Amino acid sequence: MTSTFAGSGETLPPFSRDEDHLARAGLRDLSELATLVATGRASSKSDLARLTGLSRTTVSKRLDVLVRRGLLSTRLGDSTGGRPAVELGIDPAAGVVAAVDVVAAHCRVGVLDLGVRLLADAYVDFTPDDGPEPVMAGILTCLEDLLTGLGRRWSDMRAICIGIPGQVDAETAQPIRPVMLPGWEGVKPQETFSGVCEAPVLVDNDANLMALGEYRARAEPVDQMVFVKVGSGLGCGIISNGTVHRGADGISGELAHVRLRGTDYEDLLCGGCGNSGCLGAVVNGPAIAARLRADGLRAETKWDAIRLAQQGEPHALRAVREAGERIGEVLAAMVCFHNPELIVIGGAFAILQDDLLAGIRSVVYERALAQATRRIRIETTTRNADLGMLGAGCLAVERALSPAGLVTWL
């Protein structure tokens, strides 16, 4: 049986007194219910009652508000002989969010619905020396074109999330000394969109968003996870109890600035903090390529280093394995401290999974407590290219469906 969502394009009247009271009294309930439906964790009233602990009567009342206000819609599911079940979904007309994944030489811009499904995307090319103003202007233009192509307007935008390679101040949502993006220190991306829409603009570290994307995309629940991005730089996102752990100031997971032991790294200065011997100064694409050049190989970029390793070049394979070992040194301490059940490696070097993972695993299993590694899995992601976009979309939807975000509807 084919079914369609009930339409909600009608113009609804203002809240009645009873509905207004109900909506404002149960705003957190409304947020939780909408989020469960949007993320696909619930599709029926019984699912929502089971996951939230709310009574079916309360769930029905809250859902009535969300459906009447055009955020959720209902449809009849397939019949199995009895009365067809009522299935819930995000109403396509409820709005969209934007996700922007900024890397060193380009950024990917996408528009997603509130079910975190990508509707359209495009790329904006730039060079690190361009500075933030032309890049943000390009993102704005790109988003405008995507919305037009989808038949949407800025008024349909519910939240925008931008991921950048670098630390982000938790209070101001501004980049902090982003080495890969010169001139972006203290930039306020929110100002770019202030003249065209009122949607909140979120800024987060790219590794945090990749971790969130990996977490949400996995079929099985993993509540304690560490995601490590190995590419032009080194980043780490931590999932704790199903949410991104950012710490007091938003810089939790900065593995790149953990100092390695030994004298071999004392002369390696870290461009991000000025100290010497930081893991991020030893393990990154340019550093690995530089080591191969010292060995007499032609390796100008990280992609050259990756290509040589894929071809089985011995020096390149050794460099990748040793990079994995250095990462493993720091992760071994994190395993004892955080006790994750899963470590996922992403970024450009994740394609070298056998050799990179061999180095990481050997040190983690050797140095971490046996009890902490008893159930742990260490693997590479299978969704590398889309994680930043997915994570940014998830965070934007989370903000749009938060109690504060729902005020725009209620």
Side-chain angles (χ1 to χ4, degrees):
M1 168 180 175
T2 302
S3 53
T4 56
F5 281 95
S8 61
E10 59 182 319
T11 301
L12 293 175
F15 283 146
S16 67
R17 180 178 302 175
D18 289 343
E19 187 183 36
D20 181 75
H21 175 73
L22 174 62
R24 302 186 194 289
L27 200 54
R28 291 188 181 277
D29 291 347
L30 295 171
S31 172
E32 185 177 13
L33 296 176
T35 300
L36 287 171
V37 173
T39 56
R41 286 175 285 175
S43 60
S44 66
K45 293 181 181 180
S46 58
D47 289 341
L48 293 172
R50 174 175 51 83
L51 292 171
T52 63
L54 297 172
S55 69
R56 291 180 65 88
T57 300
T58 300
V59 169
S60 294
K61 290 180 179 179
R62 301 293 192 259
L63 287 178
D64 182 61
V65 174
L66 293 173
V67 172
R68 282 178 52 78
R69 304 320 298 178
L71 179 54
L72 297 186
S73 53
T74 61
R75 66 180 177 185
L76 293 179
D78 295 335
S79 175
T80 58
R83 182 179 179 181
V86 176
E87 296 183 354
L88 300 166
I90 291 289
D91 193 311
V96 295
V97 298
V100 182
D101 184 20
V102 180
V103 295
H106 70 266
C107 59
R108 185 181 179 190
V109 182
V111 176
L112 303 90
D113 65 18
L114 297 183
V116 202
R117 287 178 289 270
L118 184 64
L119 302 176
D121 69 321
Y123 287 85
V124 176
D125 294 324
F126 66 92
T127 66
D129 295 331
D130 286 344
E133 288 81 9
V135 177
M136 293 305 303
I139 292 172
L140 179 65
T141 300
C142 184
L143 264 180
E144 199 154 69
D145 291 342
L146 291 176
L147 289 172
T148 300
L150 292 169
R152 299 279 192 166
R153 298 171 295 179
W154 281 111
S155 58
D156 296 320
M157 186 65 66
R158 304 306 178 203
I160 299 169
C161 182
I162 302 172
I164 67 165
Q167 299 174 24
V168 176
D169 186 282
E171 292 186 4
T172 64
Q174 295 174 249
I176 304 173
R177 293 194 300 274
V179 177
M180 297 174 61
L181 297 173
W184 285 63
E185 170 81 21
V187 168
K188 298 179 179 179
Q190 301 89 335
E191 296 178 351
T192 299
F193 302 95
S194 61
V196 295
C197 70
E198 298 180 357
V201 180
L202 315 174
V203 184
D204 206 345
N205 171 264
D206 60 348
N208 283 342
L209 296 178
M210 293 180 78
L212 181 60
E214 177 72 27
Y215 169 75
R216 291 289 175 83
R218 299 187 74 86
E220 79 282 7
V222 179
D223 286 340
Q224 307 295 336
M225 184 186 81
V226 171
F227 183 93
V228 181
K229 174 191 173 186
V230 187
S232 298
L234 188 69
C236 175
I238 301 171
I239 298 293
S240 181
N241 294 322
T243 61
V244 177
H245 176 69
R246 295 183 174 83
D249 298 304
I251 60 170
S252 178
E254 283 294 332
L255 293 187
H257 297 290
V258 176
R259 188 172 185 179
L260 295 173
R261 294 179 296 175
T263 59
D264 294 342
Y265 314 113
E266 290 182 352
D267 294 332
L268 288 174
L269 291 178
C270 176
C273 67
N275 291 326
S276 60
C278 289
L279 176 64
V282 177
V283 180
N284 62 61
I288 294 174
R291 174 175 174 176
L292 296 183
R293 289 197 300 272
D295 289 334
L297 298 173
R298 295 186 62 182
E300 299 301 322
T301 68
K302 66 180 180 185
W303 301 114
D304 294 328
I306 292 171
R307 174 180 51 79
L308 289 169
Q310 287 179 309
Q311 293 172 351
E313 204 290 319
H315 292 85
L317 291 176
R318 183 181 64 185
V320 170
R321 289 189 185 122
E322 291 184 356
E325 292 172 359
R326 302 291 80 75
I327 295 172
E329 289 181 22
V330 177
L331 286 179
M334 175 173 279
V335 165
C336 293
F337 180 78
H338 180 57
N339 190 208
E341 55 191 299
L342 176 67
I343 295 176
V344 181
I345 308 299
F349 282 85
I351 196 173
L352 305 174
Q353 54 183 7
D354 292 339
D355 296 288
L356 186 63
L357 289 181
I360 294 174
R361 286 169 173 162
S362 65
V363 178
V364 169
Y365 286 118
E366 175 189 356
R367 298 193 179 183
L369 285 171
Q371 187 68 15
T373 59
R374 181 171 57 89
R375 294 190 302 120
I376 196 171
R377 290 175 291 147
I378 305 175
E379 58 191 51
T380 53
T381 182
T382 60
R383 312 167 183 85
N384 211 19
D386 296 322
L387 286 181
M389 178 68 59
L390 176 59
C394 286
L395 194 61
V397 169
E398 182 180 300
R399 175 60 177 79
L401 299 182
S402 68
L406 286 183
V407 169
T408 60
W409 281 291
L410 306 181

